[in-house]
Amino acid sequence: MIRKIFRTIDEYEFENQGTLVDVVNNAHKRGLFDDIDELRIMKDVRNTIVHEYIEDALVDVFDEVLLYAEKLIVMIENTLRYIETKTTP
């Protein structure tokens, strides 16, 4: 979402294409999510899932996935509303 959607919004709004930190800060200023630290934790959870090769270890991550899935859904809804308001004439 950060690399594709948030960066695309920056490009659409002619924002300077900076680092991923800049992209995250811009998205935060737009109100797409509430807490930058939570976004970092979500990214860490995602990386754990992607790079975990032993399925049994994924059970330990499941509770975090459930917690942050709700927050991700809210972030997606906020982003869709933001895009709709910027692209609707």
Side-chain angles (χ1 to χ4, degrees), residues 18-83:
T19 65
L20 281 180
V21 172
D22 296 329
V23 172
V24 168
N25 287 335
N26 290 339
H28 185 253
K29 287 177 190 173
R30 291 180 181 109
L32 304 184
F33 60 92
D34 294 327
D35 189 345
I36 291 176
D37 291 330
E38 279 188 343
L39 186 67
R40 288 186 182 125
I41 293 169
M42 292 166 69
K43 183 176 172 278
D44 291 343
V45 170
R46 178 249 178 227
N47 288 342
T48 299
I49 293 167
V50 169
H51 299 293
E52 189 61 59
Y53 299 107
I54 302 170
E55 290 181 21
D56 293 338
L58 290 177
V59 172
D60 298 332
V61 181
F62 189 69
D63 288 335
E64 281 186 294
V65 170
L66 289 178
L67 171 69
Y68 289 108
E70 291 178 27
K71 295 174 188 273
L72 180 61
I73 290 168
V74 170
M75 188 184 319
I76 291 168
E77 290 170 345
N78 291 342
T79 303
L80 289 172
R81 272 193 301 278
Y82 181 85
I83 291 170

